[in-house]
Amino acid sequence: MPVEVHLVDHPLVADSLRRIRDKETPDALFRLNLERIGTLLIAAATENLPTEDVDVETPLTTAPAKRLSVQPVLVPILRAGLGFVHAAQELMPVADVGFVGVARNEETFEPHAYVNKLPDSLAGRPVIVLDPMLATGGSLAYTIQLLLERGAPAPITVVCALAAPEGIQRLADDGYDLEIFTAAIDDHLNDQAFIVPGLGDAGDRQFGTGG
Ligand SMILES: O=P(O)(O)OC[C@H]1O[C@H](OP(=O)(O)OP(=O)(O)O)[C@H](O)[C@@H]1O
Ligand SMILES: O=c1cc[nH]c(=O)[nH]1
Ligand SMILES: [Mg+2]
């Protein structure tokens, strides 16, 4: 059961990544550039969604066309994952959105769950998890477990802006079947389990420190 990591190497992703890493970037610009990264990563992550052939009437004639033959489920991990929701809904207006709220304990780094609002069954639905930061992998592993309990088909797609090698390794060791799309694999986690070089706290930089 592999974890496959797709590093999305695109000049516009790289340019926005510079913006969100920069500690001088104000919150509004941070949100804008995070969303831009989301759009480009989600486009890459949905390249293989299934379609069916249909005909469409143009003003001139009938043309062969395609339509999405599945209804994806988007799962942002609160809070930081909210930063990718608008981008994902713009690209997939038919998608449903389920919510998982997880906050890391600042001392143990273990995930503390406070929201679980998912469709009862995810069987047959492509599931795309949205969370800008994959650090220890604890929050994602907790979320994946909830999704598997509801029958999410493998592989589950994950979209993040930054991933730490430690988190990727942990998810692989846990045996999950994941396709992770990320703008960067950073160097390491520091002793506070923050990604280095990273961008700081993605939730705080979008929403302030009230979370
Ligand atoms: O891989 P992990 O070690 O679990 O860390 C990653 C998690 O940490 C951040 O959330 P945080 O707990 O800061 O909550 P927030 O989004 O509300 O700020 C981030 O958005 C991830 O969900
Ligand atoms: O570097 C990190 C690690 C976890 N969560 C964040 O927001 N940033
Ligand atoms: Mg946070």
Side-chain angles (χ1 to χ4, degrees):
M1 302 258 270
V3 169
E4 196 173 339
V5 182
H6 304 262
L7 192 56
V8 178
D9 181 17
H10 187 293
L12 301 181
V13 171
D15 196 58
S16 285
L17 189 56
R18 170 183 57 83
R19 293 275 195 179
I20 65 171
R21 283 195 193 278
D22 187 339
K23 67 179 183 188
E24 304 299 342
T25 296
D27 291 0
L29 262 187
F30 182 93
R31 289 193 296 269
L32 183 77
N33 282 280
L34 184 66
E35 184 169 321
R36 233 172 239 161
I37 290 172
T39 300
L40 293 159
L41 262 53
I42 293 160
T46 49
E47 248 178 28
N48 295 319
L49 280 181
T51 56
E52 58 197 9
D53 293 331
V54 292
D55 285 335
V56 65
E57 294 301 321
T58 78
L60 304 180
T61 185
T62 302
K66 291 180 189 294
R67 76 172 159 223
L68 216 53
S69 59
V70 287
Q71 190 189 12
V73 180
L74 311 171
V75 181
I77 304 180
L78 308 183
R79 289 176 302 165
L82 289 173
F84 283 157
V85 173
H86 181 247
Q89 283 190 304
E90 287 287 304
L91 292 173
M92 287 169 280
V94 298
D96 285 333
V97 185
F99 297 90
V100 173
V102 186
R104 292 196 317 179
N105 179 300
E106 285 176 10
E107 274 138 36
T108 64
F109 317 125
E110 288 299 314
H112 162 72
Y114 60 92
V115 172
N116 175 358
K117 189 93 179 73
L118 293 167
D120 289 338
S121 172
L122 296 169
R125 314 274 307 267
V127 178
I128 304 173
V129 179
L130 307 172
D131 190 342
M133 309 303 276
L134 197 182
T136 66
S139 304
L140 187 56
Y142 173 83
T143 302
I144 298 297
Q145 207 54 50
L146 292 182
L147 300 175
L148 293 177
E149 284 165 15
R150 283 165 179 72
I156 292 173
T157 299
V158 179
V159 174
C160 51
L162 299 185
E166 295 91 330
I168 294 170
Q169 188 61 52
R170 181 246 161 105
L171 294 162
D173 292 346
D174 284 356
Y176 294 120
D177 192 351
L178 304 178
E179 295 238 26
I180 299 174
F181 290 78
T182 186
I185 300 172
D186 270 9
D187 193 63
H188 67 280
L189 297 177
N190 68 12
D191 57 9
Q192 297 301 304
F194 267 76
I195 299 174
V196 180
L199 51 76
D201 187 299
D204 289 357
R205 293 197 63 187
Q206 290 178 79
F207 306 116
T209 52

